[in-house]
Amino acid sequence: MENIQGYAIEKSVLFENNRGFALGHNPAAPQPYVTWQFTESEGGVRDYYWGHYHTDREWAERDFSRRIDDYQYLFKVEEKEPGQEPGGYYRYYSTQRPFDIGATPDTKDNPLVEVVNYEDDRRRPVAGGKIHAWGEAIYKKPLTGKQIRDYELTPAPDNPDRKQSITARLKEGAAKGQEPPKEPGQKRNHKTHEDR
């Protein structure tokens, strides 16, 4: 059983876009029940945020159900079946500032699915602590490089288009007999470090 900030997670619901809600209990806390929203990244690691704390189990259970129903109604997502592969959602983090109106691309061919500003008014570690962000934006298709630069976004490491690491791509290119790309205007020096 997972334990977050002293609260044992008693139940959770995960949606096909790797978002979900959890209900936790800590009998020693002044408010012993909590409902959280979470994002699950590759490998099943969950980032919890937006906690609603309660003194009564019945109210916590109602809040848990209400949050699930509201989320499904707003974002038209289904619960993820155990073992189901993640859908093709693309997550982009805002590492410079919280999201505001117009702070994310939203086009007809790639509409914004969801935006989340984390609740604690500061950047928090996400993606296994690799990135510190104010919030995240979700899309069904990848953003262009220009959109990422223009809106100062950072793609999530587990996005479907970023699954293969740079090292793996370089090895794949070397196996095909391709030389790694060099910087423009830079001559390739084939001497080893012993020859220099």
Side-chain angles (χ1 to χ4, degrees), residues 52-80:
H52 294 181
Y53 294 85
H54 304 277
T55 55
D56 181 70
R57 175 179 281 281
E58 185 180 340
W59 281 105
E61 294 273 359
R62 284 183 190 174
D63 184 53
F64 181 67
S65 296
R66 182 193 54 78
R67 292 180 84 175
I68 291 167
D69 292 344
D70 289 351
Y71 191 86
Q72 283 187 297
Y73 176 77
L74 286 171
F75 300 107
K76 312 293 186 246
V77 292
E78 297 296 322
E79 283 186 42
K80 187 175 177 180

Side-chain angles (χ1 to χ4, degrees), residues 1-14 20-27 31-40 44-53 57 60-61 64 67-68:
M1 188 173 354
E2 196 171 9
N3 193 301
I4 307 298
Q5 298 175 6
Y7 288 84
I9 301 300
E10 293 185 345
K11 57 183 170 179
S12 65
V13 170
L14 178 64
F21 293 92
L23 174 69
H25 180 234
N26 178 356
Q31 294 177 308
Y33 300 97
V34 62
T35 63
W36 275 302
Q37 184 171 357
F38 66 82
T39 301
E40 185 174 279
V45 177
R46 292 181 174 181
D47 292 321
Y48 291 87
Y49 48 89
W50 283 353
H52 294 181
Y53 294 85
R57 175 179 281 281
E61 294 273 359
F64 181 67
R67 292 180 84 175
I68 291 167

